[in-house]
Amino acid sequence: VLVAQRVADLGCVAVGVDYRLAPEAVFPAALDDVAEAVRWMGARADELGVDPSRIVVNGVSAGASIALSMAMRAAAAGESLCAGVLLEVPIGDMREGGMLLDEYAAINGLEDLDVMERMYAGATPFDDPLLSPVLAPSFEGLPPVRILTAEYDPLRAGGEELARRMRVAGVDVAATRHLG
C-alpha cells in the first residue's frame, strides 16, 4: 500500500525487481539482476511510458543496499543507469559491529542477521565496499542519493554514517531520520 500511495502521489511508474535470493544465489547475483532490470527498463522506456533520464532506483533495508551497490558499481564502470537512488534504512556496513545491533535487534527480529548476511555474501568478505558501502574509497559518479533512516532501527547509524561519508565526498546526498 505504501509503494502504491507513493506512486500515485508522485505520478510515477514503479517496477518491482524479483532479484535472485541467497543462499541459492550469492553476492553479486542480486546486483546483476537489478542492473539488468534497470537496463531493460531504460531500453523499453517508450513502450513503458517512462522518461529514461528520470529512472530512480529505490530499496528498503537489504534492497536499499543492493540498489546503492548497483549504482556504485555502474558509476565505477562509467555507466549511468539511474538518475537517483532512494535508500530506506540501508545497510551501510556489514562488518561485525557495523550495524550496531543493540536493543533494537530483538524488537526488529534481527537476532540472526549474521547468518543471513553470510548466506548473502557467500565468499565475499564483508569489507568489500559493495557489501559495506561506508568503506567505499570513492563515490565518484553517483547520482543524487536520498537516505531515509528510522529512529529505532538498528541500521540507522550505518545509514547516517553512509550519508556523512557521501557528503564529505561531494555526493548530492540528503538524509532524513524519521522519529518514532
Side-chain angles (χ1 to χ4, degrees), residues 85-176:
V85 184
L86 173 60
L87 309 174
E88 300 178 54
V89 294
I91 298 171
D93 191 346
M94 284 181 63
R95 296 173 301 166
E96 185 173 341
M99 286 198 250
L100 302 178
L101 295 179
D102 51 20
E103 69 271 15
Y104 303 130
I107 295 169
N108 290 295
L110 298 176
E111 302 91 344
D112 296 323
L113 193 55
D114 57 331
V115 173
M116 292 182 278
E117 289 175 325
R118 182 47 49 213
M119 287 190 317
Y120 171 70
T124 305
F126 289 150
D127 62 356
D128 184 304
L130 293 178
L131 288 175
S132 294
V134 297
L135 302 176
S138 170
F139 294 106
E140 187 175 337
L142 272 182
V145 177
R146 302 300 177 254
I147 300 176
L148 307 177
T149 59
E151 181 180 14
Y152 296 116
D153 192 305
L155 304 177
R156 184 190 79 220
E160 291 174 355
E161 177 63 11
L162 185 58
R164 187 192 70 73
R165 290 186 187 208
M166 286 182 171
R167 197 171 293 113
V168 167
V171 174
D172 176 0
V173 62
T176 304

Side-chain angles (χ1 to χ4, degrees), residues 1-10 12 14 58 60 88 148 178:
V1 173
L2 183 59
V3 172
Q5 185 60 51
R6 279 193 191 156
V7 169
D9 290 347
L10 296 172
C12 64
N58 170 232
V60 178
E88 300 178 54
L148 307 177
H178 293 276

Side-chain angles (χ1 to χ4, degrees), residues 64-95:
S65 298
I66 291 167
L68 175 59
S69 295
M70 183 276 311
M72 289 171 55
R73 188 172 66 175
E79 185 178 15
S80 177
L81 290 181
C82 57
V85 184
L86 173 60
L87 309 174
E88 300 178 54
V89 294
I91 298 171
D93 191 346
M94 284 181 63
R95 296 173 301 166

